[in-house]
Amino acid sequence: QVQLVESGGGLVQPGGSLRLSCAASGFTFSGASMSWYRQAPGKERELVAHIASDGANKIYTDSVKGRFTISRDNAKNTVRLQMNSLKPEDTAVYYCKARSYSGAYYEDYWGQGTQVTVSS
């Protein structure tokens, strides 16, 4: 059974930092690409950051470049999102997503989300 369990969300003041973690199980983590998405109230879910299976390639949405860092530990089946210099507009539910490949096919798995609130 595939499980993605996010943790690390919470309430933080503007300019503060949080580190999100996503613990994965039930699939071959080292072969999966991993992403963090977020969804703010009334808005569509958007990609925040993406990391390839080997950790070599990373992609960030423009609004978080230079502030957020995605990383993964294939030995611990974990992906993290270090978020610095947080802004109120970063407030959202953050989701972990895994894309597991099998030849020419893939399957996406989602976590349940963790709330991040940036407010003074």
Side-chain angles (χ1 to χ4, degrees), residues 2-118:
V2 173
Q3 280 194 312
L4 295 171
V5 181
E6 300 100 333
S7 61
L11 173 63
V12 63
Q13 291 187 343
S17 298
L18 283 175
R19 189 176 77 165
L20 305 184
S21 293
C22 174
S25 61
F27 63 98
T28 305
F29 182 81
S30 60
S33 61
M34 301 296 297
S35 305
W36 286 97
Y37 283 73
R38 66 186 179 187
Q39 187 166 20
K43 295 188 177 182
E44 293 188 353
R45 192 172 295 189
E46 64 168 348
L47 175 67
V48 175
H50 171 88
I51 186 167
S53 58
D54 62 0
N57 293 315
K58 302 177 184 180
I59 298 171
Y60 298 93
T61 192
D62 286 346
S63 62
V64 308
K65 285 180 181 176
R67 300 188 298 121
F68 290 11
T69 302
I70 190 170
S71 63
R72 65 188 294 160
D73 185 338
N74 285 351
K76 296 182 178 180
N77 287 7
T78 299
V79 62
R80 296 184 177 91
L81 185 68
Q82 178 66 43
M83 305 187 295
N84 299 328
S85 302
L86 283 160
K87 304 175 181 180
E89 52 263 42
D90 295 318
T91 295
V93 178
Y94 283 70
Y95 297 91
C96 173
K97 189 194 89 172
R99 176 160 286 185
S100 179
Y101 297 88
S102 178
Y105 301 95
Y106 66 84
E107 191 160 1
D108 289 340
Y109 306 107
W110 292 88
Q112 82 287 350
T114 186
Q115 176 70 46
V116 171
T117 302
V118 184

